[in-house]
Amino acid sequence: MRAIKDMSSIKKIEGFDIDIEKIPKHIAIIMDGNGRWAQKRKLPRALGHRAGVDAIRDVIETSSNIGISYLSIYAFSTENWKRPQEEISTLMKLLIEYLRKEVKELHKNNVRINTIGNIKKFPEDVQNEINKAKELTEHNNGLCVNIALNYGGRDEITRTVKKICNEFLNDGLVIDDIDEKLINAYLDSSNIPDPDLLIRTSGEYRLSNFLLWQCAYSELWFTEVHWPDFTGKHLLQAIEDFQKRQRRFGGI
Ligand code: IPE
Ligand code: IPE
Ligand code: MG
């Protein structure tokens, strides 16, 4: 009886067997390979980044359609400031352009925009655009697109430790109050469950400082595909794979 019920929740979506009752709640993506995508085509890196921004639309659409609750995308790391100033400026420009162009449509589709990372280091016009997008969409209850901007896992944890120390000094917190739940509550991602699935594109097998605390038990999925070539179909492929895995969280 149970087997029949389980089978019935599996649907063919774009050729993939997706169990719609086991859709991951939170998917995190390290969108890597814009530069290599451009290099392969003998184009400037900036065009790789532009193509990378365009690729986001399809992934958001698929995520929204199949009922994912949170999609975290790594857009700019605390280490990306090491890049040439010109490339950093291009990335800032593209971010403003993206928000100006896409937010209305996202809002119409009930998408909520959230960010993690310290955006105070960004130019004011970038910060304004981010804050406008967050305010406009804050009451939406569809997919939450969580954009990691000037984000680093270590930086997030460091800022969290500082916030907790302030609570000791000013609000009577005591050492015994500290547990995982409390630490979680002071992270940038406090209102977001841990990622079930972490995807990295472009053939690198590392976290590059993304969601270090939150990915303790995430399933990892890697692909050689460069980010600008990544589509909703690749996302479905990752989900199909994820659904075949047995998550044990240390149990048996
Ligand atoms: C990812 O693509 C985008 C950002 C890090 C902002 P890259 O720019 O890292 O592309 P590769 O790794 O050089 O190919
Ligand atoms: C990770 O990619 C950061 C983002 C995707 C925003 P990088 O290209 O910066 O990572 P490394 O340098 O290859 O580890
Ligand atoms: Mg890279």
Side-chain angles (χ1 to χ4, degrees):
M1 197 54 200
R2 199 156 161 252
I4 293 168
K5 188 189 170 287
D6 284 349
M7 287 298 291
S8 68
S9 63
I10 296 176
K11 294 252 176 325
K12 268 262 184 262
I13 306 178
E14 305 223 30
F16 297 96
D17 292 317
I18 304 293
D19 188 337
I20 48 165
E21 283 178 10
K22 288 189 193 140
I23 296 290
K25 217 178 164 62
H26 181 181
I27 296 183
I29 307 183
I30 301 173
M31 309 184 289
D32 196 18
N34 294 349
R36 278 162 284 172
W37 180 93
Q39 196 177 25
K40 223 172 75 184
R41 289 162 177 76
K42 299 198 167 30
L43 296 169
R45 289 178 61 88
L47 288 187
H49 291 309
R50 183 170 288 280
V53 171
D54 289 339
I56 296 173
R57 191 176 306 116
D58 196 42
V59 173
I60 289 183
E61 201 180 304
T62 300
S63 302
S64 187
N65 286 346
I66 63 173
I68 289 163
S69 304
Y70 300 90
L71 178 72
S72 291
I73 50 177
Y74 204 5
F76 193 89
S77 78
T78 45
E79 286 69 39
N80 289 147
W81 296 107
K82 291 179 194 158
R83 297 189 179 202
Q85 187 52 48
E86 195 192 327
E87 177 159 339
I88 294 172
S89 302
T90 298
L91 289 167
M92 298 297 144
K93 221 177 69 197
L94 283 171
L95 178 59
I96 292 192
E97 216 181 281
Y98 172 77
L99 292 169
R100 288 197 181 140
K101 217 166 82 189
E102 301 283 335
V103 165
K104 267 198 207 114
E105 187 69 19
L106 293 172
H107 182 48
K108 256 204 321 218
N109 290 319
N110 199 22
V111 169
R112 181 162 61 90
I113 310 256
N114 186 62
T115 63
I116 53 172
N118 180 10
I119 63 164
K120 294 207 175 83
K121 243 190 114 175
F122 283 170
E124 214 167 308
D125 53 344
V126 181
Q127 288 187 48
N128 288 343
E129 213 59 48
I130 295 166
N131 290 330
K132 257 166 49 189
K134 288 209 267 195
E135 278 162 30
L136 178 72
T137 62
E138 70 182 335
H139 299 299
N140 292 345
N141 58 8
L143 172 70
C144 171
V145 174
N146 182 38
I147 314 175
L149 293 167
N150 188 25
Y151 176 88
R154 288 185 173 184
D155 179 64
E156 179 189 35
I157 292 168
T158 306
R159 286 185 287 103
T160 297
V161 170
K162 283 187 188 165
K163 285 185 232 168
I164 293 174
C165 286
N166 262 315
E167 300 281 330
F168 277 107
L169 293 174
N170 306 321
D171 294 300
L173 195 78
V174 296
I175 287 182
D176 277 344
D177 291 334
I178 297 188
D179 57 14
E180 290 187 11
K181 206 173 138 201
L182 181 121
I183 293 170
N184 214 45
Y186 285 88
L187 292 170
D188 296 350
S189 63
S190 59
N191 296 317
I192 300 176
D194 290 342
D196 301 293
L197 172 62
L198 173 81
I199 295 172
R200 182 168 188 149
T201 60
S202 209
E204 306 296 349
Y205 299 83
R206 54 176 172 261
L207 291 178
S208 300
N209 208 4
F210 196 36
L211 299 173
L212 297 182
W213 172 278
Q214 298 86 339
C215 281
Y217 266 102
S218 305
E219 295 295 325
L220 311 180
W221 194 82
F222 299 97
T223 173
E224 296 295 318
V225 172
H226 299 310
W227 174 253
D229 290 330
F230 193 90
T231 64
K233 279 201 174 192
H234 296 106
L235 187 76
L236 292 168
Q237 187 190 353
I239 294 170
E240 186 187 63
D241 222 34
F242 164 85
Q243 291 182 333
K244 289 183 193 143
R245 299 186 190 181
Q246 196 192 18
R247 301 182 79 188
R248 285 195 286 272
F249 300 99
I252 53 167

